[in-house]
Amino acid sequence: MDWVPFVFGTFKGVALGTGMFFAIKWHYDQGKKIGRRKVLIATAKMAAIFVLAVLVLGLVTFGLGDMLGLDLSY
């Protein structure tokens, strides 16, 4: 059982590294094909959507916690 974390950890690292390599390569190729301006606009839109989603999730979490009577103050 001592070898399981090493084998699975190595597999996880290789799989994630390979996935990141191909993701970066695909985005780089898309940037060359589409154009830098469109890629930057799409990136800005996705960043804005992500920030909005995080804010909504935080508000829903605190609202639900307050509704359930949880003490969420520091």
Side-chain angles (χ1 to χ4, degrees):
M1 290 305 292
D2 292 340
W3 58 270
V4 172
F6 295 109
V7 171
F8 288 145
T10 303
F11 175 75
K12 182 179 180 178
V14 169
L16 288 175
T18 304
M20 286 189 296
F21 170 76
F22 284 113
I24 291 169
K25 182 182 180 308
W26 183 83
H27 282 89
Y28 178 76
D29 292 342
Q30 290 295 331
K32 286 174 59 177
K33 184 172 77 172
I34 294 175
R36 185 174 176 94
R37 181 174 169 80
K38 288 185 180 180
V39 171
L40 288 175
I41 290 172
T43 302
K45 286 181 185 178
M46 290 305 297
I49 290 171
F50 176 75
V51 169
L52 183 63
V54 167
L55 289 174
V56 168
L57 181 63
L59 289 173
V60 168
T61 301
F62 280 106
L64 184 63
D66 187 44
M67 186 173 54
L68 293 175
L70 299 175
D71 183 21
L72 300 175
S73 63
Y74 287 102

